Coordinates of all heavy atoms in Angstrom, one line a residue:
M1 N 103.3 0.2 -20.7 CA 104.5 -0.6 -20.6 C 105.6 0.1 -19.8 O 106.4 -0.5 -19.2 CB 105.0 -1.0 -22.0 CG 106.1 -2.0 -22.0 SD 105.8 -3.6 -21.4 CE 105.8 -4.6 -22.9
K2 N 105.6 1.5 -19.9 CA 106.7 2.2 -19.2 C 106.6 2.0 -17.7 O 107.7 1.9 -17.1 CB 106.5 3.7 -19.5 CG 106.9 4.1 -20.9 CD 106.8 5.6 -21.1 CE 107.2 5.9 -22.5 NZ 107.1 7.4 -22.8
E3 N 105.4 2.0 -17.1 CA 105.3 1.7 -15.7 C 105.8 0.4 -15.3 O 106.5 0.1 -14.3 CB 103.9 2.0 -15.2 CG 103.4 3.4 -15.3 CD 102.9 3.8 -16.7 OE1 102.7 2.9 -17.5 OE2 102.9 5.0 -17.0
L4 N 105.5 -0.6 -16.1 CA 105.9 -2.0 -15.9 C 107.4 -2.0 -16.0 O 108.1 -2.7 -15.2 CB 105.4 -2.9 -17.0 CG 104.0 -3.6 -16.7 CD1 103.6 -4.5 -17.8 CD2 104.1 -4.4 -15.4
L5 N 108.0 -1.4 -17.0 CA 109.5 -1.4 -17.1 C 110.1 -0.8 -15.9 O 111.1 -1.4 -15.4 CB 109.9 -0.6 -18.4 CG 111.3 -0.7 -18.9 CD1 111.6 -2.2 -19.1 CD2 111.5 0.1 -20.1
E6 N 109.6 0.2 -15.3 CA 110.2 0.8 -14.1 C 110.1 -0.2 -12.9 O 111.1 -0.4 -12.2 CB 109.5 2.1 -13.7 CG 109.8 3.2 -14.7 CD 109.1 4.5 -14.4 OE1 108.4 4.6 -13.4 OE2 109.3 5.5 -15.2
Q7 N 109.0 -0.9 -12.8 CA 108.8 -1.9 -11.8 C 109.9 -3.0 -12.0 O 110.5 -3.5 -11.0 CB 107.4 -2.5 -11.8 CG 106.3 -1.6 -11.3 CD 105.0 -2.3 -11.4 OE1 104.6 -2.9 -12.4 NE2 104.3 -2.3 -10.3
W8 N 110.0 -3.5 -13.2 CA 110.9 -4.5 -13.5 C 112.4 -4.1 -13.2 O 113.2 -4.9 -12.7 CB 110.8 -5.0 -15.0 CG 109.5 -5.6 -15.3 CD1 108.5 -6.0 -14.5 CD2 109.0 -5.8 -16.6 NE1 107.4 -6.5 -15.2 CE2 107.7 -6.4 -16.5 CE3 109.5 -5.5 -17.9 CZ2 106.9 -6.7 -17.6 CZ3 108.7 -5.9 -19.0 CH2 107.4 -6.5 -18.9
I9 N 112.7 -2.9 -13.5 CA 114.1 -2.4 -13.2 C 114.3 -2.5 -11.7 O 115.4 -3.0 -11.3 CB 114.3 -1.0 -13.7 CG1 114.3 -1.0 -15.2 CG2 115.5 -0.3 -13.1 CD1 114.3 0.4 -15.8
L10 N 113.4 -2.0 -10.9 CA 113.5 -2.1 -9.5 C 113.6 -3.5 -9.0 O 114.5 -3.8 -8.1 CB 112.4 -1.3 -8.8 CG 112.3 0.2 -9.0 CD1 111.1 0.8 -8.4 CD2 113.6 0.9 -8.4
E11 N 112.8 -4.4 -9.6 CA 113.0 -5.8 -9.3 C 114.4 -6.3 -9.5 O 115.0 -7.1 -8.7 CB 112.0 -6.7 -10.1 CG 110.6 -6.6 -9.7 CD 109.7 -7.4 -10.8 OE1 110.3 -8.2 -11.6 OE2 108.5 -7.2 -10.8
G12 N 114.9 -6.0 -10.7 CA 116.2 -6.4 -11.1 C 117.3 -5.9 -10.2 O 118.2 -6.7 -9.9
V13 N 117.2 -4.7 -9.8 CA 118.2 -4.1 -8.9 C 118.1 -4.8 -7.6 O 119.1 -5.2 -7.0 CB 118.1 -2.6 -8.8 CG1 119.0 -2.0 -7.8 CG2 118.3 -1.9 -10.2
R14 N 116.9 -5.0 -7.1 CA 116.7 -5.7 -5.8 C 117.3 -7.1 -5.8 O 117.9 -7.6 -4.9 CB 115.2 -5.8 -5.4 CG 114.7 -4.5 -4.8 CD 113.3 -4.7 -4.2 NE 112.7 -3.4 -4.1 CZ 111.8 -2.9 -5.0 NH1 111.4 -3.6 -6.0 NH2 111.3 -1.7 -4.8
A15 N 117.0 -7.8 -6.9 CA 117.4 -9.2 -7.1 C 119.0 -9.3 -7.1 O 119.5 -10.4 -6.9 CB 116.9 -9.8 -8.4
N16 N 119.6 -8.2 -7.4 CA 121.1 -8.2 -7.5 C 121.7 -7.6 -6.2 O 122.8 -7.1 -6.2 CB 121.5 -7.4 -8.7 CG 122.9 -7.7 -9.2 OD1 123.2 -8.9 -9.4 ND2 123.8 -6.7 -9.2
G17 N 120.9 -7.6 -5.1 CA 121.4 -7.1 -3.9 C 121.3 -5.6 -3.7 O 122.0 -5.1 -2.8
G18 N 120.6 -4.9 -4.5 CA 120.4 -3.5 -4.3 C 121.2 -2.6 -5.2 O 121.1 -1.4 -5.1
A19 N 122.1 -3.2 -6.0 CA 122.9 -2.4 -6.9 C 123.2 -3.3 -8.2 O 123.5 -4.5 -8.0 CB 124.2 -2.0 -6.3
A20 N 123.0 -2.7 -9.3 CA 123.2 -3.5 -10.6 C 123.6 -2.6 -11.7 O 123.2 -1.4 -11.8 CB 121.9 -4.2 -10.9
T21 N 124.4 -3.1 -12.6 CA 124.8 -2.4 -13.8 C 123.6 -2.5 -14.8 O 122.7 -3.3 -14.6 CB 126.0 -3.0 -14.5 OG1 125.7 -4.3 -14.9 CG2 127.2 -3.0 -13.6
V22 N 123.6 -1.6 -15.8 CA 122.5 -1.7 -16.8 C 122.5 -3.0 -17.5 O 121.5 -3.6 -17.7 CB 122.8 -0.5 -17.8 CG1 121.8 -0.7 -19.0 CG2 122.6 0.8 -17.2
L23 N 123.7 -3.6 -17.7 CA 123.8 -4.9 -18.3 C 123.1 -6.0 -17.4 O 122.3 -6.8 -17.9 CB 125.2 -5.3 -18.6 CG 125.5 -6.7 -19.2 CD1 124.8 -6.9 -20.5 CD2 126.9 -7.0 -19.3
E24 N 123.4 -5.9 -16.1 CA 122.8 -6.9 -15.2 C 121.3 -6.8 -15.2 O 120.5 -7.7 -15.1 CB 123.4 -6.7 -13.8 CG 124.8 -7.2 -13.7 CD 125.5 -6.8 -12.5 OE1 125.2 -5.7 -11.9 OE2 126.5 -7.5 -12.1
V25 N 120.8 -5.5 -15.2 CA 119.3 -5.3 -15.2 C 118.7 -5.8 -16.5 O 117.7 -6.5 -16.5 CB 119.0 -3.8 -15.0 CG1 117.5 -3.6 -15.2 CG2 119.4 -3.4 -13.6
A26 N 119.4 -5.6 -17.6 CA 118.9 -6.0 -18.9 C 118.8 -7.6 -18.9 O 117.8 -8.1 -19.4 CB 119.8 -5.6 -20.1
K27 N 119.8 -8.2 -18.4 CA 119.8 -9.7 -18.3 C 118.6 -10.2 -17.5 O 117.9 -11.1 -17.8 CB 121.1 -10.2 -17.8 CG 122.3 -10.2 -18.8 CD 123.5 -10.7 -18.1 CE 124.7 -10.7 -19.1 NZ 125.9 -11.2 -18.4
Y28 N 118.4 -9.5 -16.3 CA 117.3 -9.9 -15.4 C 116.0 -9.7 -16.2 O 115.2 -10.6 -16.1 CB 117.4 -9.0 -14.2 CG 116.2 -9.3 -13.3 CD1 116.3 -10.3 -12.3 CD2 115.0 -8.6 -13.4 CE1 115.2 -10.6 -11.5 CE2 113.9 -8.9 -12.6 CZ 114.0 -9.9 -11.6 OH 112.9 -10.1 -10.9
L29 N 115.8 -8.6 -16.9 CA 114.6 -8.4 -17.6 C 114.3 -9.5 -18.6 O 113.2 -10.0 -18.7 CB 114.5 -7.0 -18.2 CG 113.9 -5.9 -17.4 CD1 114.6 -5.7 -16.1 CD2 113.8 -4.6 -18.2
W30 N 115.4 -9.8 -19.3 CA 115.2 -10.8 -20.4 C 114.9 -12.2 -19.8 O 114.0 -12.9 -20.2 CB 116.5 -10.9 -21.2 CG 116.3 -11.8 -22.4 CD1 116.8 -13.0 -22.6 CD2 115.4 -11.5 -23.6 NE1 116.4 -13.5 -23.8 CE2 115.5 -12.6 -24.4 CE3 114.6 -10.5 -23.9 CZ2 114.8 -12.7 -25.6 CZ3 113.9 -10.5 -25.1 CH2 114.0 -11.6 -26.0
E31 N 115.6 -12.5 -18.7 CA 115.4 -13.8 -18.1 C 114.0 -14.0 -17.4 O 113.5 -15.0 -17.4 CB 116.5 -14.1 -17.0 CG 117.9 -14.3 -17.6 CD 119.0 -14.3 -16.6 OE1 118.7 -14.1 -15.4 OE2 120.1 -14.4 -17.0
H32 N 113.5 -12.9 -16.9 CA 112.2 -12.9 -16.1 C 111.0 -12.4 -16.9 O 109.9 -12.6 -16.4 CB 112.4 -12.2 -14.8 CG 113.4 -12.9 -13.9 ND1 114.7 -12.7 -13.9 CD2 113.2 -13.8 -12.9 CE1 115.3 -13.4 -13.0 NE2 114.4 -14.1 -12.4
H33 N 111.2 -11.6 -17.9 CA 110.1 -11.0 -18.6 C 110.2 -11.1 -20.1 O 109.6 -10.3 -20.9 CB 110.0 -9.5 -18.2 CG 109.8 -9.3 -16.7 ND1 108.6 -9.6 -16.1 CD2 110.6 -8.9 -15.8 CE1 108.7 -9.4 -14.8 NE2 109.9 -9.0 -14.6
E34 N 110.9 -12.1 -20.6 CA 111.1 -12.3 -22.0 C 109.7 -12.4 -22.8 O 109.6 -11.7 -23.8 CB 111.9 -13.6 -22.3 CG 112.0 -13.8 -23.8 CD 112.8 -15.1 -24.1 OE1 113.3 -15.8 -23.2 OE2 112.8 -15.5 -25.3
A35 N 108.8 -13.1 -22.3 CA 107.5 -13.3 -22.9 C 106.8 -11.9 -23.1 O 106.3 -11.6 -24.2 CB 106.6 -14.2 -22.2
E36 N 106.8 -11.1 -22.0 CA 106.2 -9.8 -22.1 C 106.9 -8.9 -23.1 O 106.3 -8.2 -23.9 CB 106.1 -9.1 -20.8 CG 105.2 -9.8 -19.8 CD 106.1 -10.7 -18.8 OE1 107.0 -11.4 -19.3 OE2 105.7 -10.7 -17.6
L37 N 108.2 -9.0 -23.1 CA 109.0 -8.1 -24.0 C 108.8 -8.6 -25.5 O 108.6 -7.7 -26.4 CB 110.5 -8.2 -23.7 CG 110.9 -7.6 -22.4 CD1 112.3 -8.0 -22.0 CD2 110.7 -6.1 -22.4
R38 N 108.7 -9.9 -25.7 CA 108.5 -10.4 -27.1 C 107.1 -10.0 -27.6 O 106.9 -9.8 -28.7 CB 108.7 -11.9 -27.1 CG 110.1 -12.3 -27.1 CD 110.2 -13.8 -27.4 NE 111.6 -14.2 -27.4 CZ 112.4 -14.2 -28.4 NH1 112.0 -13.7 -29.6 NH2 113.7 -14.6 -28.3
G39 N 106.1 -10.0 -26.6 CA 104.7 -9.7 -27.0 C 104.4 -8.3 -27.1 O 103.2 -7.9 -27.3
G40 N 105.4 -7.4 -26.9 CA 105.1 -6.0 -26.9 C 105.1 -5.3 -28.2 O 105.2 -4.0 -28.2
G41 N 105.0 -6.0 -29.3 CA 105.0 -5.4 -30.6 C 106.3 -4.6 -30.9 O 107.4 -5.2 -30.7
D42 N 106.2 -3.4 -31.4 CA 107.4 -2.6 -31.7 C 108.3 -2.4 -30.5 O 109.5 -2.2 -30.6 CB 107.0 -1.3 -32.3 CG 106.5 -1.4 -33.7 OD1 106.7 -2.4 -34.3 OD2 105.9 -0.4 -34.2
Y43 N 107.7 -2.5 -29.3 CA 108.5 -2.3 -28.0 C 109.6 -3.3 -27.9 O 110.6 -3.0 -27.3 CB 107.5 -2.4 -26.9 CG 108.0 -1.9 -25.6 CD1 108.2 -0.5 -25.4 CD2 108.4 -2.7 -24.5 CE1 108.7 0.0 -24.3 CE2 108.9 -2.2 -23.4 CZ 109.0 -0.8 -23.2 OH 109.5 -0.3 -22.1
F44 N 109.4 -4.5 -28.5 CA 110.4 -5.5 -28.5 C 111.8 -5.0 -29.1 O 112.8 -5.3 -28.6 CB 110.0 -6.7 -29.3 CG 111.1 -7.8 -29.5 CD1 111.4 -8.6 -28.4 CD2 111.7 -8.0 -30.7 CE1 112.4 -9.5 -28.5 CE2 112.7 -8.9 -30.8 CZ 113.1 -9.7 -29.7
Y45 N 111.7 -4.1 -30.0 CA 112.9 -3.5 -30.7 C 113.5 -2.4 -29.9 O 114.6 -2.0 -30.3 CB 112.5 -3.2 -32.1 CG 112.1 -4.3 -32.9 CD1 110.7 -4.5 -33.1 CD2 112.9 -5.3 -33.4 CE1 110.2 -5.6 -33.8 CE2 112.5 -6.4 -34.1 CZ 111.1 -6.6 -34.3 OH 110.7 -7.7 -35.0
T46 N 112.8 -1.8 -29.0 CA 113.3 -0.6 -28.3 C 113.5 -0.8 -26.8 O 113.9 0.2 -26.1 CB 112.4 0.6 -28.5 OG1 111.1 0.3 -28.0 CG2 112.3 0.9 -30.0
W47 N 113.1 -2.0 -26.2 CA 113.1 -2.1 -24.8 C 114.4 -1.8 -24.1 O 114.4 -1.2 -23.0 CB 112.5 -3.4 -24.3 CG 113.5 -4.6 -24.5 CD1 113.5 -5.4 -25.6 CD2 114.4 -5.1 -23.5 NE1 114.5 -6.4 -25.4 CE2 115.0 -6.2 -24.1 CE3 114.8 -4.7 -22.3 CZ2 116.0 -6.9 -23.5 CZ3 115.8 -5.4 -21.6 CH2 116.4 -6.5 -22.2
Q48 N 115.5 -2.1 -24.6 CA 116.8 -1.8 -24.0 C 117.0 -0.3 -23.9 O 117.5 0.3 -22.9 CB 118.0 -2.5 -24.6 CG 117.9 -4.0 -24.3 CD 119.1 -4.7 -24.9 OE1 120.2 -4.1 -25.1 NE2 118.9 -6.0 -25.1
Y49 N 116.7 0.4 -25.0 CA 116.8 1.9 -25.0 C 115.8 2.5 -24.0 O 116.1 3.3 -23.2 CB 116.5 2.4 -26.4 CG 116.4 3.9 -26.6 CD1 117.5 4.6 -26.7 CD2 115.1 4.5 -26.6 CE1 117.4 6.0 -26.9 CE2 115.0 5.9 -26.8 CZ 116.2 6.6 -26.9 OH 116.1 8.0 -27.0
D50 N 114.6 2.0 -24.0 CA 113.5 2.5 -23.1 C 113.9 2.2 -21.7 O 113.6 3.0 -20.8 CB 112.2 1.9 -23.5 CG 111.7 2.3 -24.8 OD1 112.0 3.4 -25.2 OD2 111.0 1.5 -25.5
M51 N 114.6 1.1 -21.4 CA 115.0 0.7 -20.1 C 115.9 1.8 -19.5 O 115.8 2.1 -18.4 CB 115.7 -0.7 -20.1 CG 116.2 -1.1 -18.7 SD 117.3 -2.6 -18.8 CE 118.7 -1.9 -19.7
R52 N 116.8 2.3 -20.3 CA 117.8 3.3 -19.9 C 117.1 4.6 -19.5 O 117.4 5.2 -18.5 CB 118.8 3.6 -20.9 CG 119.8 2.4 -21.1 CD 120.7 2.7 -22.3 NE 121.7 1.6 -22.5 CZ 122.8 1.5 -21.9 NH1 123.2 2.5 -21.1 NH2 123.6 0.5 -22.1
W53 N 116.1 5.0 -20.3 CA 115.3 6.1 -20.0 C 114.4 5.9 -18.7 O 114.3 6.8 -17.9 CB 114.4 6.6 -21.1 CG 115.2 7.3 -22.1 CD1 115.6 6.9 -23.4 CD2 115.8 8.7 -22.0 NE1 116.3 7.9 -24.0 CE2 116.5 9.0 -23.1 CE3 115.8 9.6 -20.9 CZ2 117.1 10.2 -23.3 CZ3 116.4 10.8 -21.1 CH2 117.1 11.1 -22.3
A54 N 113.9 4.7 -18.6 CA 113.1 4.4 -17.3 C 114.0 4.5 -16.1 O 113.6 5.0 -15.1 CB 112.5 3.1 -17.5
G55 N 115.3 4.0 -16.3 CA 116.2 4.1 -15.2 C 116.5 5.5 -14.8 O 116.6 5.9 -13.6
Q56 N 116.6 6.4 -15.8 CA 116.9 7.8 -15.6 C 115.7 8.4 -14.8 O 115.8 9.2 -13.9 CB 117.1 8.6 -16.9 CG 117.4 10.0 -16.7 CD 118.7 10.3 -15.9 OE1 119.7 9.7 -16.2 NE2 118.6 11.1 -14.8
R57 N 114.4 8.1 -15.3 CA 113.3 8.6 -14.6 C 113.3 8.1 -13.1 O 112.9 8.9 -12.2 CB 112.0 8.1 -15.2 CG 111.6 8.9 -16.5 CD 110.2 8.6 -17.0 NE 109.9 7.2 -17.2 CZ 110.2 6.5 -18.3 NH1 110.9 7.1 -19.3 NH2 109.9 5.2 -18.4
L58 N 113.6 6.9 -12.9 CA 113.7 6.4 -11.5 C 114.8 7.2 -10.7 O 114.6 7.4 -9.5 CB 114.0 4.9 -11.5 CG 112.8 4.0 -11.9 CD1 113.3 2.6 -12.2 CD2 111.7 4.0 -10.9
R59 N 115.8 7.5 -11.3 CA 116.9 8.4 -10.6 C 116.3 9.8 -10.4 O 116.4 10.3 -9.3 CB 118.1 8.5 -11.5 CG 118.9 7.2 -11.5 CD 120.1 7.2 -12.4 NE 121.0 8.4 -12.1 CZ 121.8 8.9 -12.9 NH1 121.9 8.5 -14.1 NH2 122.6 9.9 -12.6
D60 N 115.7 10.4 -11.4 CA 115.1 11.7 -11.2 C 114.0 11.7 -10.1 O 113.9 12.7 -9.4 CB 114.4 12.2 -12.5 CG 115.5 12.4 -13.6 OD1 116.7 12.5 -13.3 OD2 115.0 12.5 -14.8
D61 N 113.3 10.6 -10.0 CA 112.2 10.5 -9.0 C 112.7 10.1 -7.6 O 111.9 9.9 -6.7 CB 111.1 9.6 -9.4 CG 110.3 10.2 -10.6 OD1 110.4 11.4 -10.9 OD2 109.7 9.4 -11.3
G62 N 114.0 9.8 -7.5 CA 114.6 9.5 -6.2 C 114.5 8.0 -5.8 O 114.8 7.7 -4.6
F63 N 114.2 7.1 -6.7 CA 114.2 5.7 -6.4 C 115.6 5.0 -6.6 O 115.9 4.0 -5.9 CB 113.1 5.0 -7.2 CG 111.7 5.4 -6.9 CD1 111.1 6.3 -7.7 CD2 111.1 4.9 -5.8 CE1 109.8 6.7 -7.4 CE2 109.8 5.3 -5.5 CZ 109.1 6.2 -6.3
L64 N 116.3 5.5 -7.5 CA 117.7 5.0 -7.8 C 118.7 6.1 -7.7 O 118.3 7.3 -7.9 CB 117.7 4.4 -9.2 CG 116.9 3.1 -9.5 CD1 117.1 2.8 -10.9 CD2 117.3 2.0 -8.6
E65 N 119.9 5.8 -7.5 CA 121.0 6.7 -7.6 C 122.1 6.0 -8.3 O 122.2 4.8 -8.4 CB 121.5 7.2 -6.2 CG 122.0 6.1 -5.3 CD 122.3 6.6 -3.9 OE1 121.9 7.8 -3.6 OE2 122.8 5.8 -3.1
L66 N 123.0 6.8 -8.9 CA 124.2 6.3 -9.6 C 125.3 6.0 -8.6 O 125.7 6.9 -7.9 CB 124.6 7.3 -10.7 CG 125.5 6.7 -11.8 CD1 124.8 5.6 -12.5 CD2 125.8 7.9 -12.8
G67 N 125.7 4.8 -8.6 CA 126.7 4.4 -7.6 C 128.1 4.1 -8.3 O 128.3 4.5 -9.5
P68 N 129.0 3.5 -7.6 CA 130.3 3.2 -8.2 C 130.2 2.4 -9.5 O 129.3 1.6 -9.6 CB 131.0 2.4 -7.1 CG 130.3 2.7 -5.8 CD 128.9 3.0 -6.3
N69 N 131.1 2.6 -10.4 CA 131.1 1.9 -11.6 C 129.8 2.0 -12.4 O 129.4 1.1 -13.1 CB 131.4 0.4 -11.4 CG 132.8 0.2 -10.8 OD1 133.7 0.9 -11.1 ND2 132.9 -0.7 -9.8
R70 N 129.1 3.2 -12.2 CA 127.9 3.5 -12.9 C 126.8 2.5 -12.7 O 126.0 2.2 -13.6 CB 128.2 3.7 -14.4 CG 129.2 4.8 -14.7 CD 129.3 5.3 -16.1 NE 128.0 5.7 -16.6 CZ 127.4 6.9 -16.4 NH1 127.9 7.7 -15.6 NH2 126.3 7.2 -17.0
T71 N 126.7 1.9 -11.5 CA 125.7 1.0 -11.1 C 124.4 1.8 -10.7 O 124.5 2.9 -10.3 CB 126.1 0.1 -9.9 OG1 126.4 0.9 -8.8 CG2 127.2 -0.9 -10.3
W72 N 123.3 1.2 -10.9 CA 122.1 1.8 -10.4 C 121.9 1.2 -9.0 O 122.0 -0.1 -8.8 CB 120.9 1.3 -11.2 CG 120.7 2.1 -12.5 CD1 121.3 3.3 -12.9 CD2 120.0 1.7 -13.7 NE1 120.9 3.6 -14.1 CE2 120.1 2.7 -14.7 CE3 119.2 0.6 -13.9 CZ2 119.5 2.6 -15.9 CZ3 118.6 0.5 -15.2 CH2 118.7 1.5 -16.1
Q73 N 121.7 2.0 -8.0 CA 121.6 1.6 -6.6 C 120.2 2.1 -6.1 O 119.8 3.2 -6.3 CB 122.7 2.1 -5.7 CG 124.0 1.6 -6.1 CD 125.1 2.1 -5.1 OE1 125.1 3.2 -4.6 NE2 126.1 1.3 -4.9
L74 N 119.6 1.2 -5.3 CA 118.4 1.6 -4.6 C 118.7 2.7 -3.6 O 119.7 2.6 -2.9 CB 117.7 0.4 -4.0 CG 117.2 -0.7 -4.8 CD1 116.7 -1.9 -4.0 CD2 116.1 -0.2 -5.7
V75 N 117.8 3.6 -3.5 CA 117.9 4.7 -2.5 C 117.2 4.2 -1.3 O 116.0 3.8 -1.3 CB 117.3 6.0 -3.0 CG1 117.3 7.1 -1.9 CG2 118.0 6.5 -4.3
A76 N 117.9 4.2 -0.2 CA 117.3 3.8 1.1 C 116.2 4.8 1.5 O 116.4 6.0 1.4 CB 118.4 3.8 2.2
G77 N 115.1 4.3 1.8 CA 114.0 5.2 2.1 C 113.1 4.7 3.1 O 112.6 4.5 4.0

């Protein structure tokens, strides 16, 4: 599920024009992946916390950077 969450975060940031707040990404994930999140067992209760860590991993790996107003921004590559 962690790999999926990273993909979904990138989708959410792309869908928001390449930069999104954590709240905007969370809304995107819920609107587009609610069924998967609900069907994830205990993961349903931790997905927002796990999303933040996945975002940090994406930053550490060079896919995202922290932009103005603490937005996650896609790294041009």
Side-chain angles (χ1 to χ4, degrees):
M1 186 68 108
K2 287 182 182 180
E3 294 80 19
L4 270 179
L5 193 55
E6 290 178 5
Q7 287 179 312
W8 295 346
I9 289 169
L10 293 173
E11 283 176 16
V13 174
R14 278 188 202 102
N16 202 57
T21 64
V22 171
L23 177 61
E24 290 167 331
V25 173
K27 285 180 179 180
Y28 176 90
L29 266 60
W30 188 251
E31 290 169 1
H32 293 87
H33 300 287
E34 177 183 354
E36 295 99 316
L37 293 168
R38 285 188 180 274
D42 288 344
Y43 197 71
F44 174 73
Y45 299 101
T46 64
W47 73 268
Q48 289 185 22
Y49 174 81
D50 296 326
M51 178 191 69
R52 290 174 179 271
W53 279 110
Q56 182 62 52
R57 282 192 305 277
L58 289 167
R59 286 177 55 203
D60 292 344
D61 292 343
F63 293 99
L64 294 177
E65 61 188 7
L66 198 57
N69 300 319
R70 303 195 51 78
T71 57
W72 285 339
Q73 294 185 325
L74 294 174
V75 173

